[in-house]
Amino acid sequence: MTPTTRRLPAASSLAIGELMLDVAPPHLSDTDAADVLALLCDQIGEPLDHGLAARRYALTGDRRALHGTVL
């Protein structure tokens, strides 16, 4: 893990995911959500792919949604 890489506990990932769901509701596909979430992720300093993963985790409750991301 590099000094700039951080890992957040699942609870934090869930909180970020719930924020993402507030901005991009569950009925939006990942592609449509990415258009909406790009600005938010930029403003909070979170990579878009991590924001989308956290959104999927909040939507499903399945931690496998976070696989491959460092949240």
Side-chain angles (χ1 to χ4, degrees), residues 13-38:
S13 297
L14 181 60
I16 291 172
E18 289 173 344
L19 173 64
M20 299 296 160
L21 282 172
D22 285 343
V23 175
H27 69 272
L28 294 178
S29 68
D30 271 1
T31 303
D32 292 337
D35 294 338
V36 176
L37 295 175

Side-chain angles (χ1 to χ4, degrees), residues 1 7 10 21 29 66 71:
M1 189 178 323
R7 289 190 185 270
L21 282 172
S29 68
L66 301 173
L71 290 173

Side-chain angles (χ1 to χ4, degrees), residues 1-16:
M1 189 178 323
T2 65
T4 59
T5 302
R6 60 190 164 84
R7 289 190 185 270
L8 299 177
S12 296
S13 297
L14 181 60
I16 291 172

Side-chain angles (χ1 to χ4, degrees), residues 17-69:
E18 289 173 344
L19 173 64
M20 299 296 160
L21 282 172
D22 285 343
V23 175
H27 69 272
L28 294 178
S29 68
D30 271 1
T31 303
D32 292 337
D35 294 338
V36 176
L37 295 175
L39 181 60
L40 173 62
C41 287
D42 186 53
Q43 289 176 343
I44 65 172
E46 194 69 43
L48 179 59
D49 58 330
H50 293 183
L52 288 170
R55 179 179 176 268
R56 286 189 298 271
Y57 174 54
L59 185 61
T60 65
D62 189 346
R63 295 216 45 211
R64 291 176 295 178
L66 301 173
H67 180 72
T69 64

